[in-house]
Amino acid sequence: SSGINAEYGDVENLVSNIPGDKRVIFIEAADANLCIPMNKQVECGLTQGMLDQIVIDEIGNFLISIAGYSPPTREELQEFEEQEIARNRKRKIEATVRKFTQVISEDHGMKR
């Protein structure tokens, strides 16, 4: 792969022309599949899974930045969850009222 012997400055020049929020991650000693030898993992204190997650997170951040989408904040997620709980509670109450109204109607109809 041509990236194996790339100089930092060359990569920086290439990346500067890409739109969006970007960062360059250099993975020392990784092969073309971004796999790190076990001795390097031990030396750096990283597992292959940890490295994979870092790369996935960075790709996700880049895609979000070029798409113009920002993920919801913790507060927005909490507000949505509270609204969903309130909607579910309202549905249960309405279902109970309908059921109760139906029972009363049936009882009232029997007395006629």
Side-chain angles (χ1 to χ4, degrees):
S1 157
S2 61
I4 291 176
N5 296 319
E7 295 291 324
Y8 181 82
D10 296 335
V11 173
E12 200 171 51
N13 288 336
L14 175 68
V15 170
S16 68
N17 296 320
I18 300 173
D21 180 26
K22 63 247 177 214
R23 294 188 338 174
V24 177
I25 302 173
F26 285 93
I27 304 169
E28 187 179 340
D31 63 15
N33 294 317
L34 301 180
C35 294
I36 306 174
M38 185 58 74
N39 64 338
K40 193 66 173 178
Q41 289 180 36
V42 172
E43 181 184 321
C44 295
L46 290 173
T47 64
Q48 186 65 49
M50 292 165 74
L51 172 69
D52 294 345
Q53 190 60 54
I54 291 168
V55 171
I56 289 168
D57 289 346
E58 287 300 322
I59 291 170
N61 290 338
F62 171 72
L63 293 175
I64 287 168
S65 76
I66 62 172
Y69 167 79
S70 60
T73 64
R74 207 173 267 173
E75 292 79 19
E76 290 170 331
L77 288 173
Q78 184 176 3
E79 181 181 338
F80 175 78
E81 187 176 307
E82 289 169 358
Q83 290 172 350
E84 189 64 25
I85 289 168
R87 281 192 291 273
N88 287 337
R89 188 176 297 136
K90 183 178 178 184
R91 285 187 204 117
K92 286 180 183 178
I93 291 170
E94 289 172 348
T96 302
V97 168
R98 278 193 305 275
K99 193 173 187 178
F100 184 69
T101 304
Q102 183 180 9
V103 168
I104 290 175
S105 297
E106 289 172 1
D107 287 348
H108 187 30
M110 288 201 235
K111 293 183 180 178
R112 283 189 175 179

